[in-house]
Amino acid sequence: MPAYGIVGAQWGDEGKGKVVDFLAEEADVVVRYSGGSNAGHTVINEKGEFALHLIPSGIFRPHVDAVIGPGVVLDPVVLLGELESLNERGVDTSRLFISDHTHIVMPYHIMLDQLEEQARGNNAIGTTGRGIGPTYVDKVARTGIRLGDLLDETYLASRLENVVAQKNRLLTRVFDADPIDFDALLAQVRSWGNALRPYVASVEHRILDRLARGARVVLEGAQGAMLDLDHGTYPYVTSSSVSIGGACTGLGISPREIVGIIGVFKAYSTRVGAGPMTTELDDEVGHDIRERAWEYGTTTGRPRRVGWFDGLAARYSATINGFTSAVLTRLDVLDGIDPVKICTAYEADGKRIHRFPSEPGLLERATPIWEEMPGWSAPTAGITDISQLPPEASAYVRRIEDVIGCPIDLISTGPRRDESIVVRPIILR
Ligand code: GDP
Ligand code: IMO
Ligand code: MG
């Protein structure tokens, strides 16, 4: 019954795609459990370089079932485009299964995401504009359309008619926007239903059956814990449960099935979109890291904000998720930077703060207290054996381990699958 949760531990883009593609060698099933096409997971392996938004990063392993779970919101246009491009590049997608409970991102959700962002003015969240928030709003408001609904044309038409009438009142009267044409939308949604029919499955039963038979199931998270709707830096968060709890609610499995909770951390910090980021670097070092690591969004192409490793946010993330292992990615990006810094406390209102604060406004006022460590001049890029790491890089890894309070079992030294140091095996046979 072993399930392993892979959770983004910071603000997203930690390298979850690379890590899941690597770990999937030992897995039987890989399931995406939350978020939607706001995610962009980069995988580089022998088949090439891929940016996945919805399809689980285990899809490249011929022995793995790739599953999109019910907690995901599904944009059929993005999914069908992704399937086409994978097939064109020789990747077999016949083992993709999608829950009939996934909520569909409709064109009106994408319109509303953009209109609401404009209306927020200076308080804009900096969403990816992919309709994610409005789709989860409809799910909670019980006006969502689910993938299973697309397979019953009569039910779909009656339900969609009512929803579109409501959305058109909102679009025209509140936002002064054009209404949606119901007939055109219905035709489009029906065509999505026909195209996706072969992939639709009752995946909850499938996963539970596989777990009962001893299959190893990897739960692929999206975003990062600091963007979690409940636990992140609200309101600058995404609209789903990013943390490990979301894997249980988003899939319908018991927490008892999860034997490993793996937090993926980048060796420094990045954030896309608005919201507090205490360790942000507005100087040349930040600029240098952004350019050398090409820190630009996989989904939107926006420059990512860059900063040193935030020990308070990382410890908080490790605590709320209960990580059993950590993965440290992009260590190679820090090659040649001297010194390297870790934020181990904040200062605000004349006081030292040692825990990630929850009081409103405190995070915005906090300044970082740095711990400096010597950098390393010998490259770590591409190293696969821990004994080859320069001693200063080893010391940096050990210090991060102390700060987050959890062992680092995998170190990533490059974007390719094999540029990885296995410190201790994470998925046990
Ligand atoms: P995800 O959303 O967590 O899957 O991460 P993204 O794919 O959005 O961003 C991570 C970026 O870092 C991608 O461009 C990866 O190819 C790259 N990457 C992952 N691990 C490493 C690493 O260890 N070193 C370097 N240099 N790049 C990495
Ligand atoms: P992966 O899975 C980084 C951010 C957006 C914005 C906030 C809300 O690739 O790590 P949304 O469109 O979700 O309503 O935007 O969340 N965001 C991400 N940042 N990586 C992601 O996914 C993200 N998904 C959403 O930039 O700040
Ligand atoms: Mg990403």
Side-chain angles (χ1 to χ4, degrees):
M1 55 165 209
Y4 297 84
I6 313 290
V7 180
Q10 294 155 312
W11 284 273
D13 302 328
E14 299 89 350
K16 298 175 291 294
K18 174 201 162 152
V19 170
V20 171
D21 173 61
F22 177 79
L23 292 177
E25 182 171 14
E26 306 293 338
D28 302 298
V29 184
V30 175
V31 199
R32 257 289 295 274
Y33 66 76
S34 71
S37 59
N38 47 352
H41 294 182
T42 312
V43 172
I44 308 181
N45 55 31
E46 77 285 351
K47 296 204 162 74
E49 175 166 351
F50 302 86
L52 299 171
H53 301 288
L54 284 163
I55 296 181
S57 305
I59 194 75
F60 304 97
R61 303 283 191 172
H63 64 279
V64 164
D65 278 0
V67 177
I68 298 181
V72 170
V73 292
L74 192 85
D75 183 334
V77 176
V78 175
L79 182 74
L80 291 168
E82 211 160 288
L83 280 168
E84 194 182 328
S85 109
L86 287 174
N87 292 335
E88 270 169 10
R89 297 175 67 186
V91 179
D92 175 20
T93 52
S94 60
R95 293 161 351 277
L96 176 70
F97 303 94
I98 311 174
S99 166
D100 48 0
H101 286 187
T102 55
H103 278 251
I104 300 294
V105 179
M106 292 285 183
Y108 49 79
H109 291 131
I110 296 171
M111 287 171 73
L112 285 169
D113 191 359
Q114 290 160 5
L115 291 165
E116 285 167 4
E117 275 287 85
Q118 278 163 25
R120 287 184 191 113
N122 288 338
N123 297 321
I125 296 164
T127 72
T128 57
R130 296 298 187 101
I132 305 302
T135 307
Y136 278 115
V137 166
D138 274 4
K139 172 178 176 171
V140 175
R142 293 155 295 177
T143 45
I145 306 285
R146 304 199 294 183
L147 179 57
D149 301 341
L150 272 48
L151 308 184
D152 178 341
E153 295 215 351
T154 317
Y155 178 73
L156 172 69
S158 77
R159 193 164 164 76
L160 193 60
E161 190 170 20
N162 184 274
V163 174
V164 169
Q166 280 189 47
K167 295 299 171 198
N168 278 344
R169 283 197 292 276
L170 182 63
L171 285 168
T172 57
R173 296 186 196 176
V174 174
F175 290 106
D176 249 341
D178 291 335
I180 301 267
D181 181 304
F182 171 70
D183 292 327
L185 179 63
L186 183 62
Q188 186 177 33
V189 175
R190 280 185 173 148
S191 78
W192 292 340
N194 289 331
L196 293 176
R197 192 179 292 271
Y199 301 99
V200 182
S202 187
V203 302
E204 296 87 328
H205 291 300
R206 199 182 177 89
I207 296 170
L208 290 173
D209 287 350
R210 296 292 303 269
L211 281 167
R213 281 186 270 129
R216 288 167 302 249
V217 177
V218 166
L219 315 170
E220 177 176 352
Q223 290 80 53
M226 304 310 292
L227 292 170
D228 184 284
L229 178 59
D230 292 290
H231 309 297
T233 53
Y234 192 88
Y236 299 100
V237 293
T238 190
S239 299
S240 60
S241 291
V242 171
S243 309
I244 191 65
C248 297
T249 55
L251 295 179
I253 63 167
S254 160
R256 289 165 59 190
E257 307 278 2
I258 302 179
V259 297
I261 306 172
I262 298 103
V264 184
F265 293 85
K266 206 176 259 200
Y268 48 94
S269 303
T270 61
R271 177 168 199 164
V272 214
M277 182 178 180
T278 313
T279 65
E280 184 165 12
L281 290 170
D282 282 324
D283 59 4
E284 211 163 290
V285 178
H287 180 265
D288 182 33
I289 293 178
R290 181 179 308 108
E291 294 310 310
R292 67 156 74 187
W294 200 245
E295 288 290 5
Y296 288 85
T298 310
T299 298
T300 58
R302 291 179 291 177
R304 295 177 182 145
R305 299 157 65 193
V306 171
W308 290 118
F309 191 86
D310 184 334
L312 275 73
R315 177 96 189 192
Y316 170 71
S317 171
T319 309
I320 60 170
N321 284 290
F323 292 140
T324 55
S325 292
V327 177
L328 193 69
T329 66
R330 294 203 143 201
L331 185 63
D332 54 295
V333 168
L334 302 183
D335 288 357
I337 298 181
D338 191 20
V340 287
K341 297 186 192 179
I342 299 177
C343 169
T344 49
Y346 296 162
E347 206 161 73
D349 308 334
K351 289 196 198 90
R352 278 283 159 104
I353 302 168
H354 297 278
R355 275 181 144 186
F356 193 71
S358 67
E359 296 86 331
L362 195 61
L363 200 51
E364 283 77 357
R365 297 198 297 282
T367 51
I369 304 295
W370 303 121
E371 196 172 293
E372 271 190 24
M373 297 185 72
W376 47 95
S377 48
T380 67
I383 287 183
T384 55
D385 180 346
I386 188 132
S387 67
Q388 306 290 307
L389 277 185
E392 298 85 356
S394 293
Y396 183 71
V397 172
R398 279 200 303 275
R399 184 65 188 124
I400 289 185
E401 227 167 26
D402 284 349
V403 166
I404 61 181
C406 151
I408 292 173
D409 288 341
L410 181 68
I411 302 168
S412 175
T413 56
R416 290 163 200 286
R417 185 190 274 173
D418 51 359
E419 292 173 316
S420 307
I421 301 173
V422 177
V423 183
R424 263 175 300 267
I426 288 178
I427 297 185
L428 303 175
R429 282 202 170 271

